[in-house]
Amino acid sequence: MLLPDYSVAVITGQDDWAVTYTPTQVCAFKGSAVNVSCTFTYPSAGSTEVEKGFWFMEGRRRTPVDLTTETGHAGRVEYGCRDHECTLTISDLRASDSAEYRFTTKLRGFTGSPGVSLSVTDLWVQVTRGFWVWTVLRCHSSCDVAADPSYVWYKNKQEMSKKTSTYVIYFNDKNSYSCAVEGHENYCSSPVPEIDLPSVSVSPSEIVEGSSVTLNCSSDANPAASYTWYKKNQPRPHGEEPQLVFSSIQSSDSGQYLCEAENHLGKKRSEFISIDVKYGPRLPSVSVSPSEIVEGSSVTLTCSSDANPAASYTWYKKNQTRPHGEGDIYRFTSISSEDRGIYYCKAENKHGEINSSSLFLNVQCEYNTLEPKTSPSSL
């Protein structure tokens, strides 16, 4: 099992019902076994029925179904429940096991949410062209492993002493190479296959939100390869065709993508390709500091907007056609009553422009309190 996230999800219900999951995120190797657990609290009345709870996969059914009876899990799932704790063990992990798992009590059907997010990963060898006549092999998985792990490399299925994540070979080396994480040697990567490193491209070169964008993947393989697309830090496939098409791309689609080419001889993954979605400014937010404005004081107006590329800003005073200032920050070093009025900013880049909501500056006059003069007492 790879390094889990030891944050804790605690969901408290009415009448002291609560479920706690620790950890909330787990990553494990394909073919291995994994344990996830929860603890729960409940009122003393009627507590004997709580022990009869079960685990289920979130989103698989409208009504929770016990994993021990779920198709695809039967025979691979075991529960270990006692007192206020229940553990779920899944063996012979498969890619389809990647999901969110939750525990439910049969009494009142109380459950915590979110549950435990399980990601099932396998290892693969990424091949890149190095300097001169060298090729670099890098051992990869879809999830981060423990800090500074040791790796085991195999040449023609024979273990070698190399312990780092990379291995350098001649570019025309025809030997078979695979890797594993030390301590998990039973879950080895597929051998480096006789399949060219896939090449990826994107069209068009400048990507604007709402437009159609296509990622292309190709590889010289015999027999022909099948393709799978992945987004960085997302272990589940993002697409399973030579082309990954976004009919109306959104800013949330920005990120790094790679494709995996595979045939019965093995598989290889491409280099990452970056997608940077450009978009016009969102509705700007405006603020003023300080909130109470006195004539003669220093006052700062601030405008901000989410935009890609970054927006430029122009300040306007209502009923005045000319700009009042430029930049995301506008300062009055010594504000006067003549500056009283309604202000707004405009955010713009090459993909659009938008005005903020209005901001009223109420400049209060500063009054000096005159202390009465007193004459010295006569002797």
Side-chain angles (χ1 to χ4, degrees):
M1 186 172 69
L2 300 186
L3 183 67
D5 176 1
Y6 281 100
S7 57
V8 176
V10 179
I11 308 300
T12 302
Q14 295 178 349
D15 304 324
D16 297 322
W17 291 83
V19 176
T20 302
Y21 296 97
T22 307
T24 58
Q25 295 185 8
V26 176
C27 186
F29 288 112
K30 184 177 179 181
S32 67
V34 67
N35 295 321
V36 298
S37 63
C38 74
T39 57
F40 46 87
T41 59
Y42 47 85
S44 58
S47 60
T48 56
E49 293 297 321
V50 175
E51 308 300 334
K52 298 179 181 179
F54 60 86
W55 289 83
F56 66 96
M57 292 177 71
E58 173 63 18
R60 180 64 67 88
R61 300 282 192 274
R62 179 172 294 181
T63 302
V65 175
D66 190 337
L67 278 177
T68 58
T69 64
E70 176 89 356
T71 302
H73 284 90
R76 298 191 298 120
V77 173
E78 293 182 4
Y79 296 159
C81 299
R82 57 180 296 178
D83 297 328
H84 292 259
E85 182 175 357
C86 195
T87 300
L88 164 67
T89 301
I90 307 175
S91 58
D92 188 22
L93 285 171
R94 306 167 185 175
S96 58
D97 293 331
S98 295
E100 180 183 322
Y101 292 84
R102 290 162 60 187
F103 174 80
T104 182
T105 60
K106 283 193 174 180
L107 179 61
R108 294 183 54 176
F110 187 74
T111 181
S113 177
V116 180
S117 178
L118 171 64
S119 298
V120 179
T121 183
D122 57 355
L123 291 173
W124 75 91
V125 177
Q126 186 179 48
V127 183
T128 56
R129 179 61 60 86
F131 177 72
W132 195 31
V133 296
W134 304 106
T135 294
V136 179
L137 309 181
R138 184 181 298 276
C139 194
H140 271 292
S141 70
S142 299
C143 308
D144 292 332
V145 295
D148 300 323
S150 292
Y151 293 84
V152 179
W153 283 93
Y154 299 89
K155 180 178 180 180
N156 298 326
K157 299 184 178 180
Q158 297 297 312
E159 184 176 337
M160 298 182 291
S161 60
K162 190 72 173 177
K163 297 298 183 182
T164 63
S165 62
T166 58
Y167 195 80
V168 179
I169 62 174
Y170 283 107
F171 76 93
N172 61 350
D173 191 328
K174 298 301 182 182
N175 292 295
S176 174
Y177 293 90
S178 58
C179 68
V181 173
E182 193 170 47
H184 301 277
E185 288 84 351
N186 291 333
Y187 314 112
C188 194
S189 73
S190 299
V192 175
E194 293 300 322
I195 180 173
D196 283 350
L197 190 69
S199 62
V200 289
S201 61
V202 58
S203 179
S205 56
E206 185 173 46
I207 302 171
V208 180
E209 190 171 51
S211 64
S212 176
V213 176
T214 301
L215 302 183
N216 292 283
C217 184
S218 61
S219 177
D220 183 14
N222 187 18
S226 60
Y227 299 92
T228 306
W229 286 93
Y230 293 90
K231 187 177 183 181
K232 191 172 184 179
N233 297 326
Q234 294 185 4
R236 296 184 183 181
H238 209 71
E240 296 183 348
E241 298 292 338
Q243 292 184 331
L244 179 59
V245 179
F246 299 88
S247 57
S248 179
I249 200 163
Q250 301 300 308
S251 58
S252 58
D253 296 317
S254 292
Q256 292 184 297
Y257 295 80
L258 61 75
C259 81
E260 177 182 86
E262 181 177 14
N263 60 21
H264 73 275
L265 298 175
K267 60 184 175 182
K268 285 187 180 178
R269 292 194 172 191
S270 71
E271 302 278 358
F272 280 106
I273 187 170
S274 294
I275 299 298
D276 185 21
V277 180
K278 309 293 184 181
Y279 53 93
R282 315 300 196 204
L283 181 66
S285 62
V286 289
S287 62
V288 58
S289 179
S291 56
E292 204 171 304
I293 303 171
V294 178
E295 190 172 25
S297 64
S298 175
V299 176
T300 300
L301 304 182
T302 303
C303 183
S304 63
S305 173
D306 178 25
N308 188 16
S312 60
Y313 301 93
T314 308
W315 288 93
Y316 292 90
K317 187 176 182 182
K318 191 174 181 180
N319 299 326
Q320 292 184 4
T321 57
R322 294 184 179 182
H324 205 73
E326 295 183 351
D328 59 332
I329 295 177
Y330 182 73
R331 289 187 176 89
F332 298 88
T333 56
S334 180
I335 200 165
S336 69
S337 58
E338 294 179 354
D339 296 317
R340 181 184 293 110
I342 297 174
Y343 293 81
Y344 64 92
C345 73
K346 179 174 72 174
E348 61 181 323
N349 63 15
K350 63 184 293 186
H351 302 293
E353 62 181 49
I354 187 171
N355 291 338
S356 72
S357 56
S358 298
L359 188 67
F360 177 63
L361 297 189
N362 183 21
V363 183
Q364 302 176 17
C365 295
E366 182 177 13
Y367 296 97
N368 293 322
T369 302
L370 299 178
E371 296 289 342
K373 293 183 179 180
T374 57
S375 57
S377 302
S378 57
L379 296 177

